[in-house]
Amino acid sequence: MLGPENTIMSFEKAVEYGAHGLESDVQISLDKVPFLMHDYDLRRTTNILDVMPNASHEHSSFFNWDFLSTLNAGKWFSDSWIKPFFRMKPLSEADKERARNQKIPKLSELLELAQKEKKLVIFDLNAPPQSHPSRSSYIRLVVSVILDSKIEQHLIIWLPGSDRKYVRSKAPGFQHIGRLFTIEELRKENITRINVDYKRLFYNGLKEYKAANITINLYIINEPWLFSLAWCSRIHSVTTDNIQVLKKINHPYYFMTPKFYLFMWIFMDILAAVFIVAIFHFYWKRESQSEKILHGITSYTETPSTSLHDEVLEVVEIPGLLTKSDSEVIISEVVNETTAPTVYPTDDVGQLVPTEPAFEPIQAPTSEANREAILQTVLLTLEANEPTVPFVEKPPPEM
């Protein structure tokens, strides 16, 4: 976070803040020069879009060193309005100017600095593409460059997994480091140190590696809480972009003990589950009550009504009804039929023929109370003895 990645400025800043080692990424140029570059192309960390936009998508290994050495490798870091790192502090004016002038360095420049400062060197070595002239010899080429730099061999942490037998024969002092291999694979390669992504290591567990006395380096650890977690897990070293902050930490940040953290984790999970179930139950109960209310309203509206159903009825004088007083009606017998069913005769072809009404209703004078009682009786009787018209099937026409 103090300088453009894979530049001499960034390594010098790391040394200034007390780093124990320097981590980089190595590519091989078309004319067989190992140089420092993380990406497979040059668009993100150089100005190739301004210099040679048509070739910006080319693999970085398909350029000669003479061209690569002319590219600017720092303006993207100092002049970009988007910060390369979250919570990155602004650079001073002096550091901005220094970053603007950074170039792509060769591997030999990093080795020279490491030898001078007695710092460890670890790097990812990217194999060139299939059509590259150094595709089959890049391991031997890099070993040759390291030996020619006269750096002390024990300062080299050798990470590439290819051709280890040759590397051990040519440079027996290199410290070999593996990745997240099994214990059996590490023992077979005679490796006692691993370089691992912290997410994968914590997911797979530490017990086997601790039991086998494997030295562990984690990458990339940039946050103090994550650094504290690695510290409490007895991790031996970490790779970081945020050395200026982590170097100030002289003890782990104990926000809570591991047991209390586990308790709080489980407790909050249970509390969240109870809360979700309670919300579900509340809404389920409310929906059930709404359904009951709607069902009750539907049942009430579907009950047969005792209204007149928009029919205009006239009071009929029925024999057997005696008026005792203005407020009481005495019915001597239940009237089974108030009107005779209308019979619809048919003609000779089975068609229904309408007829005149059988009788004319006679309006009987009565009081208001008696009228209501008579209406109720008539309605009940009509509903119990509703006349029906038989269905007469029309015979098919004769051919």
Side-chain angles (χ1 to χ4, degrees), residues 204-241:
N204 288 276
L206 296 166
K207 292 183 179 180
E208 292 185 4
Y209 297 102
K210 286 184 177 181
N213 295 321
I214 301 296
T215 303
I216 300 172
N217 180 74
L218 290 185
Y219 66 88
I220 296 176
I221 307 295
N222 288 338
E223 298 296 332
W225 70 267
L226 194 54
F227 183 65
S228 299
L229 179 60
W231 193 333
C232 293
S233 300
R234 297 182 181 179
I235 301 299
H236 301 87
S237 61
V238 301
T239 300
T240 181
D241 297 315

Side-chain angles (χ1 to χ4, degrees), residues 159-370:
L159 179 58
S162 302
D163 228 349
R164 285 189 185 271
K165 187 175 181 180
Y166 168 81
V167 175
R168 282 194 170 103
S169 64
K170 296 296 289 186
F174 288 2
Q175 300 186 56
H176 287 257
I177 186 171
R179 302 184 187 273
L180 194 61
F181 301 146
T182 63
I183 301 298
E184 291 74 17
E185 291 174 325
L186 294 174
R187 287 174 178 171
K188 184 179 180 180
E189 294 286 340
N190 194 22
I191 295 174
T192 59
R193 181 182 296 187
I194 59 175
N195 183 55
V196 190
D197 183 349
Y198 75 91
K199 296 183 290 294
R200 294 186 61 193
L201 181 67
F202 286 138
Y203 177 80
N204 288 276
L206 296 166
K207 292 183 179 180
E208 292 185 4
Y209 297 102
K210 286 184 177 181
N213 295 321
I214 301 296
T215 303
I216 300 172
N217 180 74
L218 290 185
Y219 66 88
I220 296 176
I221 307 295
N222 288 338
E223 298 296 332
W225 70 267
L226 194 54
F227 183 65
S228 299
L229 179 60
W231 193 333
C232 293
S233 300
R234 297 182 181 179
I235 301 299
H236 301 87
S237 61
V238 301
T239 300
T240 181
D241 297 315
N242 197 15
I243 189 173
Q244 69 276 14
V245 172
L246 300 190
K247 192 63 178 179
K248 297 178 181 179
I249 300 177
N250 53 17
H251 61 81
Y253 288 172
Y254 287 111
F255 296 105
M256 59 184 71
T257 62
K259 289 185 178 180
F260 184 70
Y261 174 78
L262 182 62
F263 167 76
M264 289 299 297
W265 186 11
I266 297 175
F267 175 75
M268 292 304 296
D269 283 346
I270 295 175
L271 185 63
V274 171
F275 185 68
I276 292 172
V277 171
I279 292 177
F280 175 80
H281 179 73
F282 170 77
Y283 281 100
W284 174 81
K285 187 175 181 180
R286 192 171 70 172
E287 290 296 326
S288 299
Q289 291 177 350
S290 300
E291 290 180 0
K292 288 181 180 179
I293 293 174
L294 290 174
H295 181 70
I297 293 174
T298 304
S299 300
Y300 175 78
T301 55
E302 291 179 353
T303 303
S305 176
T306 58
S307 64
L308 298 179
H309 300 292
D310 298 330
E311 296 182 9
V312 180
L313 300 179
E314 294 183 356
V315 180
V316 180
E317 182 178 340
I318 303 175
L321 282 179
L322 299 177
T323 302
K324 184 177 180 182
S325 64
D326 292 340
S327 59
E328 183 179 2
V329 177
I330 301 176
I331 303 176
S332 59
E333 61 178 306
V334 177
V335 181
N336 292 327
E337 292 184 1
T338 57
T339 59
T342 304
V343 179
Y344 294 92
T346 60
D347 56 11
D348 54 353
V349 294
Q351 297 289 342
L352 296 176
V353 178
T355 60
E356 292 296 329
F359 64 91
E360 290 290 335
I362 302 173
Q363 183 175 0
T366 182
S367 65
E368 189 67 22
N370 292 341

Side-chain angles (χ1 to χ4, degrees), residues 359-380:
F359 64 91
E360 290 290 335
I362 302 173
Q363 183 175 0
T366 182
S367 65
E368 189 67 22
N370 292 341
R371 181 178 299 173
E372 291 180 358
I374 294 172
L375 286 175
Q376 293 293 334
T377 305
V378 170
L379 287 175
L380 292 174

